Amino acid sequence: MKEIGLLTMELRQFLVCLSLCTALALSKPTEKKDRVHHEPQLSDKVHNDAQSFDYDHDAFLGAEEAKTFDQLTPEESKERLGKIVSKIDGDKDGFVTVDELKDWIKFAQKRWIYEDVERQWKGHDLNEDGLVSWEEYKNATYGYALDDPDPDDGFNYKQMMVRDERRFKMADKDGDLIATKEEFTAFLHPEEYDYMKDIVVQETMEDIDKNSDGFIDLEEYIGDMYSHDGNADEPDWVKTEREQFVEFRDKNRDGKMDKEETKDWILPSDYDHAEAEARHLVYESDQNKDGKLTKEEIVDKYDLFVGSQATDFGEALVRHDEF
């Protein structure tokens, strides 16, 4: 286990260095950094049920899972859909509500996040007790780097560790400095959790606020996404961003963005595609119009959810056990 922790630590350090170096290398005059977190589209297909249910299939399963439909017969499709419905019914009351269906769709769309957590979990749960403590994470991630007061790469690992610890404590709801898998997911992907959004804003402001006055002014805002690099002429998109800052970002017109204005910028209140799709699926399948679905109602409309041929739900069912 010690060797695994060392390899993970070295890989983490390499990736941190690589990402930072890449960011510096890509800081060209015409490059634009996007800090805004948008909800992804559920599918790149056109949502037109009169022509096909392809959009619904992508939304319900995720695009990658939906590609394997033709491997199963309709009978197998119905059987496996019934199994997945049992997973969606979180309170086990025999009904699938709009909220439960919405949660499933969000899970299906963000499966890559759970895969990332699984990979990192194995490298940080060093004692294999099903939990990751702050000490485990710190040792696996920073270990030897903290023993060198003057690292050759110039990175301040102690400062990075302090920032990670602050985020870990925020993700750790019960304050015991030991993360469950859900808390560890919130730590690694804070933008996905409402209770972590303040830390996302704080970290973003610390990155951009070069004079440390607690605000982001126009030049700091532009400087984060564009480097003049000796070029006096700004591209058109930079001029547009200046206008965006003045007209929309700086809502109170004081020449800078505070915490709330920064939050509105990087974490916009997007249209909830998952909820809209959940409501659509319930509306189309709810035979008795009671606002919720039974397993029978869903399976009867299996072609809406999974098509005439179904997908291999095996992986989805296993991954959803942690959901």
Side-chain angles (χ1 to χ4, degrees):
M1 292 308 297
K2 185 177 293 184
E3 288 79 10
I4 293 175
L6 181 59
L7 286 172
T8 304
M9 171 182 61
E10 291 175 344
L11 178 60
R12 164 83 174 189
Q13 183 179 1
F14 169 76
L15 292 175
V16 168
C17 294
L18 180 63
S19 64
L20 290 172
C21 292
T22 301
L24 291 173
L26 293 177
S27 184
K28 300 174 183 177
T30 55
E31 296 281 346
K32 181 180 180 181
K33 183 188 300 182
D34 188 6
R35 290 188 176 272
V36 182
H37 301 280
H38 289 291
E39 285 290 319
Q41 295 292 320
L42 301 183
S43 172
D44 59 5
K45 312 279 196 328
V46 176
H47 195 184
N48 185 349
D49 286 357
Q51 293 183 356
S52 77
F53 296 133
D54 288 346
Y55 179 97
D56 302 298
H57 301 162
D58 283 359
F60 184 68
L61 297 167
E64 291 302 315
E65 294 289 325
K67 289 178 182 178
T68 58
F69 275 18
D70 57 3
Q71 297 179 8
L72 298 176
T73 66
E75 290 72 23
E76 291 170 324
S77 172
K78 292 178 181 180
E79 180 182 354
R80 298 196 181 192
L81 177 57
K83 291 179 180 179
I84 208 169
V85 170
S86 297
K87 295 289 183 179
I88 300 173
D89 179 17
D91 59 10
K92 307 303 179 187
D93 65 350
F95 298 97
V96 170
T97 64
V98 169
D99 284 341
E100 288 173 331
L101 194 51
K102 179 183 72 173
D103 288 343
W104 167 261
I105 291 171
K106 286 181 179 289
F107 164 78
Q109 294 297 316
K110 295 174 180 177
R111 190 171 285 122
W112 68 271
I113 291 176
Y114 298 97
E115 292 172 347
D116 174 59
V117 171
E118 285 298 327
R119 284 192 296 268
Q120 298 211 42
W121 185 264
K122 293 174 183 177
H124 291 94
D125 181 14
L126 302 182
N127 63 4
E128 298 183 328
D129 66 346
L131 300 165
V132 173
S133 68
W134 167 247
E135 286 301 316
E136 283 180 310
Y137 181 83
K138 180 180 69 173
N139 292 334
T141 304
Y142 294 102
Y144 73 89
L146 298 177
D147 296 331
D148 186 355
D150 187 23
D152 294 335
D153 54 32
F155 294 124
N156 188 334
Y157 289 103
K158 288 187 177 179
Q159 189 175 51
M160 293 165 65
M161 186 187 71
V162 169
R163 180 163 161 152
D164 269 358
E165 184 177 13
R166 182 181 63 192
R167 188 198 287 191
F168 193 97
K169 288 179 177 179
M170 179 71 74
D172 175 31
K173 285 186 171 181
D174 58 9
D176 61 358
L177 288 180
I178 300 175
T180 62
K181 190 165 289 186
E182 185 71 11
E183 290 170 336
F184 194 62
T185 304
F187 168 68
L188 294 177
H189 299 278
E191 69 282 353
E192 302 296 333
Y193 291 80
D194 285 339
Y195 80 99
M196 294 293 290
K197 288 184 176 180
D198 283 347
I199 202 74
V200 176
V201 175
Q202 184 175 358
E203 290 178 0
T204 301
M205 294 190 74
E206 289 172 352
D207 289 342
I208 304 176
D209 177 22
K210 300 304 181 185
N211 63 8
S212 301
D213 66 349
F215 299 93
I216 298 175
D217 61 36
L218 176 58
E219 294 310 315
E220 289 170 333
Y221 173 79
I222 295 298
D224 179 60
M225 62 182 72
Y226 170 75
S227 173
H228 285 85
D229 203 22
N231 187 354
D233 296 326
E234 291 182 343
D236 289 341
W237 69 262
V238 176
K239 297 175 183 176
T240 300
E241 285 295 340
R242 289 186 180 277
E243 294 171 0
Q244 290 283 320
F245 183 93
V246 173
E247 296 296 324
F248 302 106
R249 310 279 185 246
D250 177 22
K251 298 182 186 301
N252 62 4
R253 301 292 195 272
D254 65 351
K256 55 195 176 185
M257 287 195 296
D258 58 23
K259 180 179 178 180
E260 287 304 313
E261 290 168 330
T262 302
K263 184 176 183 179
D264 289 343
W265 166 44
I266 65 172
L267 298 170
S269 299
D270 288 340
Y271 175 73
D272 195 333
H273 296 279
E275 181 172 359
E277 177 64 9
R279 291 186 180 282
H280 166 67
L281 293 174
V282 169
Y283 177 81
E284 294 296 334
S285 309
D286 185 14
Q287 297 174 10
N288 62 2
K289 302 304 177 185
D290 63 351
K292 53 191 176 184
L293 302 179
T294 63
K295 180 184 293 188
E296 291 72 22
E297 286 176 321
I298 293 176
V299 172
D300 281 348
K301 291 283 290 186
Y302 78 98
D303 58 331
L304 172 65
F305 290 85
V306 297
S308 297
Q309 296 80 32
T311 187
D312 178 6
F313 287 102
E315 285 188 278
L317 290 170
V318 171
R319 290 170 185 153
H320 192 258
D321 284 342
E322 296 296 339
F323 169 64

